[in-house]
Amino acid sequence: MGTIQSIQYPWMADGATIGVTAPSSGVDPAAHGLLEQVSERLGARGFIVKYGATTYTQNKAKSAPAAVRAQEFNTMIQDTGVDLIIPPWGGELLIEMVDQVDFDHLPAKWVLGYSDLSVLLLAITLKTGIATAHGTNIVDLRGEAPDETTAMWQTVLSTKAGESCVQRSSLHYQKDWVNDNPNVFNLTEPTYWRKVLPSGEIESPGGESDGRFSGKTVMRGRMLAGCIDVVRHLIGTPYGDVRQFREQYIPGEPVVWVLENCELNTADVRRSLVQMKLAGWFENCSGILFGRSPANKPVENYTIDDVYSDLAAELGLPIIVDIDCGHVPPQITLINGAYAEIEVEAGKGTVKQSFV
């Protein structure tokens, strides 16, 4: 076993320069106005926004060929005039460029995003021990008045090494997108984080009156997060070596996984989770959280609650579902590599992340 190394935490100062590059999908010309709104909103908050060329192009399910995307990412993250990177959004084919990322020369700068971006985020943290941020993309920061949950990205990314930050579950989430919403999100539905007991028993939405689920559920461990659809494709590659990461950076420490589903049906979610289990991703895991999903279509009568129950009973672990993470906004900002303490009671959750 090699030398034990510590997790490195980037830090964002006030007035930071944000680099925008598209390692997955870029922005089609018809939507370039969104980027202008982003510049205007973030500029008003004191940020400087620099766009790479890949941000403005999109063809064949990607912003540009893999080598072009990788070169722009490598150049931008190594640019001393760029403080952090927030891509426009996710996409489909980030995995094509992951082997061309210059992991040996990555400075400790935040990369923030979700969906297909989670492939890059997880790969960076697992290979280098540099913490990465799973949360909003930059296009969703164009709103006039950001909701409290999304807005916490600034607080989290400006937390210094050795310090901690606390986020709470949202009050409401978005069921349906509304075009031209000045605040981007349409938060109408009451948020409720549901518990799944290690026995496999699962709380119904708004089930605080059910005594089986009363009291506080607590999970502690190193945070690792991602979109199931895409991070599963890192299994068996040098970019998804969870066991090596544990030995090198967090020996003996438990992990808390946060996973979310973009497009998979329930059987595909189940297959993916079993693969993760067989690959050792859930070894020394203290609990799993699942984000809300627009997908989770049942296969026959096999529902997503069945998937959650099966996994909890199999692993003997507590699971929390319908949390603020993923493709049903808003999202809390989760830090890959941070030490997390999660408490859930009566549908409400608190996530404390310590940069230790």
Side-chain angles (χ1 to χ4, degrees):
M1 192 166 75
T3 307
I4 306 303
Q5 296 173 266
S6 299
I7 302 292
Q8 294 182 71
Y9 295 97
W11 177 67
M12 182 182 76
D14 291 341
T17 296
I18 301 170
V20 184
T21 181
S24 181
S25 283
V27 180
D28 195 81
H32 284 177
L34 299 177
L35 300 174
E36 293 171 17
Q37 292 175 37
V38 167
S39 296
E40 186 180 325
R41 296 282 180 261
L42 291 177
R45 293 181 208 141
F47 292 100
I48 297 166
V49 184
K50 285 186 178 178
Y51 294 100
T54 61
T55 309
Y56 293 100
T57 55
Q58 177 68 9
N59 186 39
K60 297 191 183 296
K62 65 196 84 175
S63 64
V68 175
R69 286 179 275 153
Q71 182 179 20
E72 187 172 276
F73 175 81
N74 290 334
T75 300
M76 191 172 276
I77 202 161
Q78 292 170 16
D79 182 349
T80 55
V82 172
D83 299 310
L84 71 157
I85 287 181
I86 312 179
W89 43 35
E92 302 287 348
L93 294 172
L94 185 141
I95 199 165
E96 292 180 333
M97 59 77 75
V98 75
D99 64 328
Q100 298 177 60
V101 172
D102 188 0
F103 291 101
D104 292 336
H105 299 98
L106 287 186
K109 294 180 184 179
W110 287 121
V111 183
L112 168 64
Y114 78 107
S115 193
D116 201 28
L117 268 300
S118 66
V119 171
L120 179 60
L121 303 177
L122 192 60
I124 288 173
T125 299
L126 293 181
K127 277 195 73 70
T128 70
I130 297 171
T132 52
H134 188 283
T136 186
N137 58 46
I138 208 160
V139 166
D140 288 342
L141 296 178
R142 71 186 187 280
E144 290 177 5
D147 65 277
E148 290 181 14
T149 307
T150 306
M152 282 295 291
W153 75 273
Q154 284 186 240
T155 302
V156 176
L157 269 52
S158 57
T159 300
K160 293 180 178 175
E163 297 180 353
S164 59
C165 54
V166 176
Q167 296 173 88
R168 290 178 174 80
S169 53
S170 66
L171 295 176
H172 296 90
Y173 70 91
Q174 172 175 286
K175 185 179 178 185
D176 298 303
W177 286 96
V178 173
N179 289 337
D180 302 320
N181 185 337
N183 294 326
V184 184
F185 299 141
N186 177 39
L187 306 178
T188 57
E189 309 301 305
T191 297
Y192 194 96
W193 291 17
R194 296 189 292 142
K195 298 180 180 183
V196 189
L197 304 181
S199 62
E201 296 169 280
I202 187 164
E203 187 176 11
S204 58
E208 59 264 42
S209 59
D210 188 331
R212 291 175 300 166
F213 303 98
S214 63
K216 202 175 277 185
T217 296
V218 180
M219 300 176 186
R220 296 184 180 91
R222 294 287 178 170
M223 182 79 75
L224 290 175
C227 177
I228 299 167
D229 312 43
V230 289
V231 295
R232 60 182 176 166
H233 296 302
L234 291 177
I235 292 171
T237 75
Y239 312 100
D241 195 339
V242 174
R243 186 172 285 115
Q244 171 67 24
F245 168 75
R246 291 175 182 285
E247 291 175 358
Q248 192 167 352
Y249 295 101
I250 56 165
E253 294 191 59
V255 165
V256 175
W257 278 99
V258 186
L259 299 167
E260 59 98 10
N261 171 26
C262 179
E263 297 176 332
L264 307 180
N265 68 34
T266 56
D268 208 354
V269 173
R270 175 65 174 153
R271 285 192 295 268
S272 303
L273 294 171
V274 170
Q275 185 180 7
M276 291 175 182
K277 180 188 74 170
L278 297 176
W281 279 25
F282 299 142
E283 288 172 11
N284 199 10
C285 176
S286 56
I288 305 172
L289 295 90
F290 286 92
R292 293 178 295 262
S293 173
N296 289 339
K297 182 181 177 184
V299 174
E300 296 175 9
N301 62 341
Y302 191 50
T303 68
I304 194 63
D305 280 7
D306 292 328
V307 175
Y308 296 147
S309 294
D310 286 348
L311 187 67
E314 245 171 37
L315 299 176
L317 291 175
I319 288 175
I320 305 296
V321 305
D322 297 340
I323 79 154
D324 296 292
C325 172
H327 288 78
V328 180
Q331 297 193 74
I332 54 180
T333 303
L334 304 166
I335 302 302
N336 287 318
Y339 180 76
E341 298 169 82
I342 296 132
E343 295 186 356
V344 180
E345 186 172 16
K348 299 188 184 305
T350 303
V351 178
K352 179 182 180 183
Q353 296 179 103
S354 299
F355 291 3
V356 293

